[in-house]
Amino acid sequence: AMFRSFYPRGRSTNEVIERLGLQSKRDAAYIKLSGGQKQRVALACALVGAPDLLFLDEPTTGLDPAARRQIWELIQEFRDGGGTVLLTTHAMDEAAILCDRVGIVDQGRVVDVGTPAALIASLEAEQILRMGWAPAPDEAMVAALAALPGVRGASKQGDDVVLRVSDIGAALTAALSAIANAGATLLYLSTHEPTLEDVFLARTGRALREP
């Protein structure tokens, strides 16, 4: 109610409380709310004034999957109603679903900007191949893998090697042969379609939240 009073127009406090699923906590002290409930109160305070521009800093941190989906729906409603959202998040699936344009920031620098689809397409990869073997690969081995047929790029993440591949058949066959020729033992292997998280790794050379 206090935040609503700051604006000449806005939404009803009852409407916002109900929309964010906070009816049962209407009379609760803020300090006694869970982390997820506090996140929802923060969003309620932002929405109650019916702003044109909404700044959100990791709005779904600490929320369970159902509450997270509810927050996504609210953000999409706000955007579809003509509002503009500036959102910071470490959840790449969240950015892919909610954002029309994504800026990848690494240590205070914007390293790439584009639509989620364009950023993923820029990897020029049909699949992402993640492997681990013993002994752990060195940088020379990673560079050798990057030059294999069907491989668009390679990077090291911890003890794993991540390959961006345009031809999974050729890349996998060549990579397994290279590992065997190096006298290493393959420990695990997985593949998936490229995501915004793979874009972040390719642009920064490190995983999300890695110092």
Side-chain angles (χ1 to χ4, degrees), residues 122-146:
S122 71
L123 293 178
E124 299 183 317
E126 295 178 1
Q127 294 284 321
I128 302 297
L129 179 61
R130 178 183 290 269
M131 300 179 294
W133 59 84
D138 56 20
E139 294 299 333
M141 184 63 173
V142 175
L145 290 173

Side-chain angles (χ1 to χ4, degrees), residues 42-136:
L43 184 55
C45 290
L47 289 172
V48 75
D52 296 319
L53 176 61
L54 190 60
F55 291 88
L56 298 175
D57 183 15
E58 301 200 41
T60 59
T61 298
L63 298 184
D64 60 58
R68 187 175 185 234
R69 179 66 62 176
Q70 184 183 37
I71 297 300
W72 285 1
E73 291 174 357
L74 280 167
I75 295 171
Q76 288 171 322
E77 283 180 12
F78 179 83
R79 182 194 63 192
D80 294 345
T84 299
V85 182
L86 181 62
L87 168 73
T88 62
T89 181
H90 283 87
M92 294 294 98
D93 59 332
E94 183 166 271
I97 289 172
L98 296 179
C99 299
D100 299 309
R101 286 175 61 79
V102 174
I104 297 176
V105 180
D106 181 41
Q107 298 183 344
R109 291 188 309 112
V110 177
V111 296
D112 209 344
V113 178
T115 66
L119 289 172
I120 292 171
S122 71
L123 293 178
E124 299 183 317
E126 295 178 1
Q127 294 284 321
I128 302 297
L129 179 61
R130 178 183 290 269
M131 300 179 294
W133 59 84

Side-chain angles (χ1 to χ4, degrees), residues 2 6 13 33 36 45 47 58 75 83 100 130 149 168 186 189 196 202 207:
M2 180 184 72
F6 296 157
T13 55
L33 299 178
C45 290
L47 289 172
E58 301 200 41
I75 295 171
D100 299 309
R130 178 183 290 269
I168 187 66
L186 184 69
L189 181 152
L196 281 178

